[in-house]
Amino acid sequence: QVQLVESGGGLVQDGGSLRLSCAASGETFSNYAAGWFRQTPGEEREFVAAISRFGRITNYADSVRGRFTMSRDNAKSTVYLEMNSLKLSDTAVYYCTAGSFGLSPYHPNYWGQGTQVTVSS
């Protein structure tokens, strides 16, 4: 029903910033809550952030709260993750997701292919 393509990953210095984008296509994007997950090799997939259908509510993992900001632009069918004060522990593949069941809790139905974020010292 919806396809998701992440972009914006790359290499960044410890303490730096990076902005990820996720372009959605298919069904009307405002029908979906959206979120970001991340995964490091050998580790469990970790929730990062989620946003409600119209951007009025955002939820963040404790590990990123105050440093990362999620937003969305439904007119562009795009969601963003602004990452500031990046740490080595933020290194992961970041996945864009969409879900049709709101944020209570966030449970995505659809996943993008992922984009690599590497933070160096």
Side-chain angles (χ1 to χ4, degrees), residues 46-60:
E46 178 187 19
F47 170 77
V48 176
I51 192 165
S52 60
R53 292 169 61 201
F54 299 102
R56 293 189 290 258
I57 303 169
T58 50
N59 294 331
Y60 297 96

Side-chain angles (χ1 to χ4, degrees), residues 27-98:
E27 193 176 337
T28 302
F29 188 48
S30 61
N31 287 346
Y32 298 90
W36 293 90
F37 288 75
R38 66 188 183 185
Q39 188 166 28
T40 300
E43 298 290 329
E44 291 289 304
R45 185 178 60 210
E46 178 187 19
F47 170 77
V48 176
I51 192 165
S52 60
R53 292 169 61 201
F54 299 102
R56 293 189 290 258
I57 303 169
T58 50
N59 294 331
Y60 297 96
D62 289 344
S63 58
V64 308
R65 188 175 295 109
R67 300 187 299 119
F68 291 11
T69 302
M70 187 173 180
S71 61
R72 69 189 296 160
D73 184 344
N74 287 339
K76 297 181 181 293
S77 296
T78 302
V79 299
Y80 305 94
L81 186 67
E82 185 73 37
M83 304 184 292
N84 300 310
S85 301
L86 282 160
K87 307 173 180 179
L88 295 179
S89 58
D90 294 320
T91 295
V93 176
Y94 284 72
Y95 295 92
C96 179
T97 68

Side-chain angles (χ1 to χ4, degrees), residues 8 10-20 67-68 81-87 117-119:
L11 179 65
V12 64
Q13 288 265 58
D14 189 6
S17 298
L18 203 62
R19 190 195 204 199
L20 305 183
R67 300 187 299 119
F68 291 11
L81 186 67
E82 185 73 37
M83 304 184 292
N84 300 310
S85 301
L86 282 160
K87 307 173 180 179
V117 173
T118 302
V119 183

